[in-house]
């Protein structure tokens, strides 16, 4: 790499001059050269020194290795400027990082670069060991179709994640998990702590759509908070991991039940009716439809809390709140507080809404 050596105090003047001629190499920074400064020269700088620069020395030195600060920088370095700019509008601008996994949507136009994209993402994210192309959700359990494009196949889809102080295993190739809802789960913990103080006893908690158990992990880790947990998920691949996660985090030796059935059938077991102080309902596309068969799981003798999440047309939020009030009234659960509010947008017309109801 060629550098033009100039007196320190004239650096800015000569830098501007080189820029005006497209002779400055912007990829590299200006370096100290004894008590002078060395300005990096672009490939357009002429081989024969221009007359006005003959007083200055040209030196050859190795350019410092630059580390790109995002995966796109790595990709550009890998495939070259020309290819990079040709497909500029298609490169993924975001991706999910779940434990050691990167999950990314790739447009058809750039699928042929899948290997280069995964290589760049692995170079940028030192913790990541596998990159999956996201082919969208499918089936009753809404599991992502994930195509491994980088990293070892033998590692499968399992990875450990840490959320709200708890560690647990998820496998996005087998079931649903989103790190984006971690804040909601923290709020659930805060509600539970408040409820325990109000009731002056440990809580019975039911998560009928528990997935890998991200909402339950901080609850069972909280000292003296929980008496009993019923964790359920209809996907058998998920409940196997859910069970391991609950056992691994159950330092308080809480009584646990793990079930794999349709949540709407939990109420058929007479022991479950009216048992739970806290009920979580996270099946956002069907929450409202399932709710009539879940409410009676709640204890009706003292304060109980329902925390649920639903995807809904934003203009129908008020209607949803009225329907929920009617449902609770018809089942003779007096509501003392109700919060129904959008947490984030889901589509141009739909929102992801949080529902929180306190009874008695
Ligand atoms: C949106 S995920 C929520 C998982 C977890 N609660 C979380 O927050 O990450 C919904 C879960 O419900 C499960 N599921 C779908 N239909 C069900 C049903 N009828 N009864 C019980 N679980 C069901 C799916 O397998 C999935 O794991």
């Amino acid at each position: 790499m060629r550098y033009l050596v100039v007196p320190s105090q004239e650096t800015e003047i000569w830098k501007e001059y080189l820029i005006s001629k497209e002779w400055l190499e912007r990829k590299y920074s200006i370096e100290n050269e004894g008590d002078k400064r060395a300005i990096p020269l672009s490939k357009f700088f002429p081989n024969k020194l221009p007359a006005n620069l003959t007083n200055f020395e040209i030196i050859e030195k190795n350019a410092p290795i630059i580390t790109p600060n995002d995966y796109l920088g790595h990709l550009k370095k890998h495939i070259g400027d020309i290819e990079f700019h040709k497909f500029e509008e298609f490169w993924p601008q975001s991706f999910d990082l779940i434990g050691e996994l990167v999950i990314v949507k790739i447009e058809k136009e750039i699928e042929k670069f899948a290997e280069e994209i995964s290589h760049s993402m692995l170079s940028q994210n030192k913790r990541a060991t596998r990159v999956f192309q996201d082919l969208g959700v499918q089936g009753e359990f809404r599991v992502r179709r994930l195509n491994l494009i980088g990293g070892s196949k033998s590692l499968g889809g399992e990875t450990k994640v840490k959320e709200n102080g708890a560690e647990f295993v998820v496998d996005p190739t087998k079931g649903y998990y989103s790190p984006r809802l971690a804040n909601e789960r923290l709020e659930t913990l805060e509600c539970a702590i408040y409820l325990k103080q109000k009731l002056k006893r440990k809580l019975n908690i039911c998560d009928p759509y528990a997935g890998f158990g991200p909402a339950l992990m901080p609850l069972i880790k909280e000292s003296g908070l929980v008496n009993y947990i019923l964790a359920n998920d209809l996907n058998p691949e998920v409940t196997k991991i859910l069970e391991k996660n609950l056992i691994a985090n159950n330092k308080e030796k809480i009584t646990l039940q793990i079930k794999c059935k349709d949540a709407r059938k939990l109420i058929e077991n007479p022991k479950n009716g009216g048992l739970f102080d806290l009920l979580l309902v996270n099946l956002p596309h069907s929450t409202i439809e399932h709710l009539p068969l879940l409410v009676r799981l709640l204890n009706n003798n003292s304060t109980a809390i329902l925390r649920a999440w639903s995807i809904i047309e934003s203009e129908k939020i008020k209607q949803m709140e009225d329907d929920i009030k009617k449902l609770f009234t018809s089942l003779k659960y007096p509501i003392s507080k109700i919060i129904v509010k959008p947490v984030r947008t889901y589509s141009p017309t739909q929102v992801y809404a949080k529902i929180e109801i306190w009874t008695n």
Side-chain angles (χ1 to χ4, degrees):
M1 178 90 214
R2 289 179 301 168
Y3 285 80
L4 177 74
V5 182
V6 299
S8 293
Q9 64 275 21
E10 292 175 25
T11 311
E12 275 311 302
I13 301 167
W14 292 112
K15 183 180 140 192
E16 288 307 316
Y17 173 71
L18 294 174
I19 289 173
S20 71
K21 299 279 189 191
E22 293 194 11
W23 290 345
L24 178 80
E25 178 50 73
R26 291 171 187 269
K27 257 197 293 196
Y28 301 109
S29 47
I30 296 172
E31 309 247 334
N32 287 331
E33 183 66 22
D35 59 353
K36 297 186 174 168
R37 307 280 276 157
I39 308 179
L41 295 172
S42 76
K43 61 181 179 195
F44 303 115
F45 188 79
N47 288 332
K48 189 170 177 293
L49 204 58
N52 58 341
L53 296 176
T54 47
N55 285 342
F56 301 131
E57 193 188 353
I58 299 282
I59 56 165
E60 282 281 342
K61 59 190 247 167
N62 289 337
I65 295 164
I66 46 165
T67 319
N69 56 12
D70 60 10
Y71 98 88
L72 290 169
H74 283 275
L75 183 65
K76 192 172 177 181
K77 216 171 125 189
H78 204 64
I79 65 174
D81 286 12
I82 295 172
E83 287 288 68
F84 184 83
H85 289 301
K86 197 163 146 196
F87 295 97
E88 195 141 30
E89 66 196 283
F90 298 111
W91 304 122
Q93 297 300 315
S94 66
F95 52 82
D96 277 338
L97 190 59
I98 298 183
E100 292 182 8
L101 315 182
V102 175
I103 296 178
V104 60
K105 288 203 172 96
I106 297 177
E107 306 262 2
K108 251 199 220 79
E109 289 81 351
I110 51 163
E111 268 180 345
K112 61 181 174 185
F113 295 105
E115 201 185 316
E116 287 83 354
I117 292 172
S118 77
H119 180 86
S120 307
M121 288 180 161
L122 290 174
S123 304
Q124 175 61 27
N125 297 285
K126 294 293 176 223
R127 253 202 88 202
T129 56
R130 286 148 283 169
V131 180
F132 287 94
Q133 178 184 5
D134 183 350
L135 300 171
V137 288
Q138 65 171 358
E140 185 191 3
F141 301 135
R142 303 191 62 77
V143 181
R144 294 201 170 280
R145 275 196 308 133
L146 296 174
N147 174 33
L148 185 73
I149 58 169
S152 163
K153 197 172 178 183
S154 65
L155 292 173
E158 276 195 16
T159 185
K160 218 176 229 176
V161 294
K162 196 167 182 185
E163 207 188 276
N164 298 324
E167 251 189 7
F168 52 94
V169 172
V170 302
D171 185 340
T173 66
K174 293 185 176 156
Y176 174 91
Y177 170 72
S178 169
R180 291 180 195 166
L181 304 174
N183 269 347
E184 285 300 310
R185 299 192 265 266
L186 193 60
E187 265 187 39
T188 299
L189 174 64
E190 285 160 4
C191 274
I193 293 172
Y194 187 85
L195 184 60
K196 182 209 144 185
Q197 285 162 354
K198 188 167 196 284
L199 298 179
K200 298 190 177 57
R201 60 170 172 80
K202 291 185 185 180
L203 306 178
N204 294 337
I205 296 176
C206 180
D207 190 350
Y209 310 89
F212 300 110
L216 295 173
M217 297 308 144
L219 297 171
I220 60 170
K221 282 203 81 182
E222 183 73 22
S223 172
L225 179 67
V226 182
N227 174 56
Y228 168 65
I229 279 190
L230 172 56
N232 176 74
D233 199 286
L234 190 53
N235 179 345
E237 301 247 58
V238 164
T239 41
K240 270 187 228 155
I241 299 174
L242 169 67
E243 180 162 19
K244 283 189 202 156
N245 284 336
L246 283 168
I247 292 169
N249 278 287
N250 190 11
K251 304 283 180 272
E252 298 256 314
K253 305 264 178 286
I254 294 160
T255 311
L256 302 171
Q257 274 253 26
I258 294 115
K259 294 275 174 197
C260 181
K261 55 183 352 189
D262 187 327
R264 289 166 290 188
K265 298 208 154 103
L266 293 175
I267 195 65
E268 289 173 8
N269 179 347
K271 284 188 192 150
N272 291 336
L275 182 62
F276 298 98
D277 306 299
L278 174 60
L279 173 66
L280 307 176
V281 180
N282 187 9
L283 190 66
H285 290 278
S286 312
T287 288
I288 297 306
E289 207 183 304
H290 284 212
L291 214 46
L293 287 164
L294 300 168
V295 173
R296 282 180 301 115
L297 293 168
L298 283 171
N299 178 6
N300 205 5
N301 295 322
S302 48
T303 304
I305 302 176
L306 164 76
R307 274 181 60 83
W309 295 268
S310 176
I311 289 162
I312 179 139
E313 294 292 325
S314 41
E315 62 188 32
K316 292 197 174 144
I317 284 227
K318 180 76 184 72
Q319 180 62 49
M320 181 170 78
E321 182 173 334
D322 291 344
D323 291 347
I324 295 170
K325 280 183 186 160
K326 267 189 215 142
L327 172 68
F328 272 69
T329 309
S330 71
L331 296 172
K332 309 230 168 349
Y333 278 82
I335 293 179
S336 52
K337 177 174 156 189
I338 178 163
I339 301 169
V340 178
K341 72 169 187 196
V343 181
R344 58 186 167 85
T345 49
Y346 181 75
S347 76
T349 59
Q350 291 171 304
V351 290
Y352 187 87
K354 174 215 340 246
I355 300 158
E356 187 179 306
I357 293 169
W358 294 61
T359 64
N360 295 297

